[in-house]
Amino acid sequence: MSFQQYAAGAAIWALSLLSGSAQAEITVAIAGPMKGQFADFGAQMRAGGERAVADLNANGGVNGETLVLVVADDACDADTAVAVANQLIGKGVSLVVGHFCFSASIAASEVYAEAGIIQISPATTLPKFTDERPGEGIFRLAPRDDQQGKLAGQLLAKTFGNERIAILNDKTAYGKGLADATKEAMNSQGKAESISLGFDAGEDDYRGLVSQLILENIGVVYLGGFHPEAGLIRLEMARQGMNAVLVSGDALITEEFWSVTGAAGNGTLLSYPQDPREVPEAQALVAALEEDGKPAERYALTTYAAIQAWAQAANAVKTSAFADVAAALSEGTLETALGSLSFDGKGDSNVPAYTWYEWRDGAPRPR
């Protein structure tokens, strides 16, 4: 063999090694707010993503291929998210776990759908994200906002069906939307409200409103709105001796609600997504993250579960090809750190779901 033939053969062998190395890696990405006011949430996403990739690689990767993680900052901005999405296409990613803010998630989803990249948001709750999803590869691991109304309507109709119920809203898009969804769900189950009222947010005196509720002999008040007004109304109910249950949505999860009501807030019910840290399957992951000094909060766990679900789907169909994995995610049941996970035809997941919490002694506790 001549030197030229040997050199040519060696070059072909080297290229084959390089090609094999490239084929033995799958790039996945996390996209979210890594800087700025929402950076804490981005840190959670990063922690969950890094741990998921490390755990999967320690167990053989995906279909025998090693995962490589890319982290991108979208600043919770739609235009930046589109730019990030296009950059990730250039990196050849198969999966993007993101984005965090709904504006970024929706804007980027158009890019991912056209490019054939799986997108799983660990945080976006706006119904539009999946109601109007641009392709079959768009999913979420976050509950929909309108699920709160369905949950509340069921509670009011079933648990408080014998009570006179008032539906209040603060006239904001959030508050009125939540109250209307709750009313519709309650009515559909055969329970009618006794009174439905809107009130002005930002007031500091709700004596007249509470007096009207007392005259109507109201036993349960459902309030669509935010914690400052809800706190003042609950406090006024106590001052006037109104022995009624206050029920509301996720805006009451803040400790500032209790700072307004004090002990008068005891017994207030609110809907909020189940804390994934309470899921039995998540305990080992929470312990591992905490041991490493990493965030072990909600979005660390949902990001981990998103990568875990994608990897299971890819292993099941023995490929990371877009169409096959999208179908496997849509049709299968996956075992994750959040428990048994499935997606419906819109790309919405069954976990985490809204559940009920009750304010007791200064803290919202699972009911």
Side-chain angles (χ1 to χ4, degrees):
M1 177 184 293
S2 69
F3 176 78
Q4 288 83 359
Q5 289 173 319
Y6 175 82
I12 293 171
W13 176 77
L15 285 171
S16 70
L17 283 181
L18 290 172
S19 175
S21 175
Q23 291 174 354
E25 291 183 347
I26 302 173
T27 303
V28 298
I30 293 171
M34 301 299 158
K35 299 175 184 176
Q37 62 178 324
F38 300 119
D40 286 349
F41 300 126
Q44 291 180 37
M45 294 171 66
R46 180 193 289 268
E50 290 175 345
R51 185 75 197 196
V53 166
D55 287 350
L56 286 164
N57 284 339
N59 287 281
V62 174
N63 293 318
E65 298 181 284
T66 300
L67 295 184
V68 176
L69 181 66
V70 174
V71 178
D73 179 22
D74 67 9
C76 264
D77 175 75
D79 291 339
T80 304
V82 169
V84 163
N86 282 300
Q87 291 167 8
L88 294 177
I89 292 174
K91 294 180 183 295
V93 302
S94 297
L95 164 72
V96 176
V97 180
H99 295 232
F100 182 84
C101 295
F102 73 83
S103 58
S105 287
I106 291 173
S109 68
E110 299 277 354
V111 180
Y112 300 133
E114 184 174 350
I117 294 172
I118 300 291
Q119 177 191 11
I120 305 177
S121 173
T124 298
T125 60
L126 192 74
K128 179 181 178 180
F129 176 60
T130 50
D131 282 352
E132 300 177 18
R133 71 173 182 164
E136 62 184 9
I138 310 300
F139 302 90
R140 75 167 114 212
L141 270 180
R144 295 167 56 100
D145 287 335
D146 53 5
Q147 289 175 344
Q148 288 195 85
K150 294 177 182 177
L151 184 71
Q154 182 177 22
L155 177 81
L156 296 176
K158 302 301 181 184
T159 303
F160 299 113
N162 294 325
E163 298 284 352
R164 289 179 59 79
I165 295 174
I167 305 290
L168 306 182
N169 78 83
D170 65 356
K171 301 180 184 177
T172 66
Y174 166 79
K176 188 174 188 307
L178 183 56
D180 288 349
T182 297
K183 178 181 179 298
E184 180 180 356
M186 183 183 73
N187 293 165
S188 71
Q189 296 185 55
K191 174 65 178 178
E193 69 279 7
S194 297
I195 187 173
S196 181
L197 295 171
F199 63 89
D200 294 323
E203 300 292 328
D204 58 9
D205 185 349
Y206 292 103
R207 287 177 294 180
L209 174 62
V210 172
S211 295
Q212 185 174 359
L213 297 176
I214 292 174
L215 288 174
E216 293 286 343
N217 196 29
I218 297 299
V220 178
V221 176
Y222 186 83
L223 189 150
F226 294 91
H227 65 274
E229 293 77 20
L232 289 172
I233 289 171
R234 184 67 191 90
L235 187 60
E236 186 60 36
M237 288 165 62
R239 286 172 175 164
Q240 294 194 36
M242 182 181 180
N243 187 25
V245 178
L246 178 65
V247 185
S248 192
D250 57 348
L252 269 60
I253 198 70
T254 173
E255 63 184 17
E256 293 177 11
F257 172 76
W258 187 264
S259 70
V260 175
T261 66
N266 276 323
T268 298
L269 303 179
L270 67 143
S271 50
Y272 194 73
Q274 181 186 20
D275 184 351
R277 293 170 58 94
E278 298 170 3
V279 176
E281 292 88 343
Q283 299 309 302
L285 173 58
V286 170
L289 288 168
E290 290 180 341
E291 184 177 352
D292 290 343
K294 298 293 181 67
E297 306 304 321
R298 175 178 301 277
Y299 303 111
L301 304 190
T302 52
T303 298
Y304 184 101
I307 296 176
Q308 194 178 30
W310 171 85
Q312 280 190 38
N315 280 329
V317 295
K318 297 180 171 55
T319 178
S320 57
F322 169 79
D324 295 316
V325 176
L329 286 168
S330 298
E331 298 166 4
T333 298
L334 308 156
E335 300 304 322
T336 73
L338 299 180
S340 294
L341 167 66
S342 61
F343 295 98
D344 64 17
K346 288 184 175 182
D348 293 323
S349 61
N350 62 319
V351 293
Y354 283 103
T355 187
W356 287 108
Y357 287 78
E358 180 179 346
W359 273 100
R360 295 196 302 269
D361 301 325
R365 307 180 191 277
R367 184 170 182 259

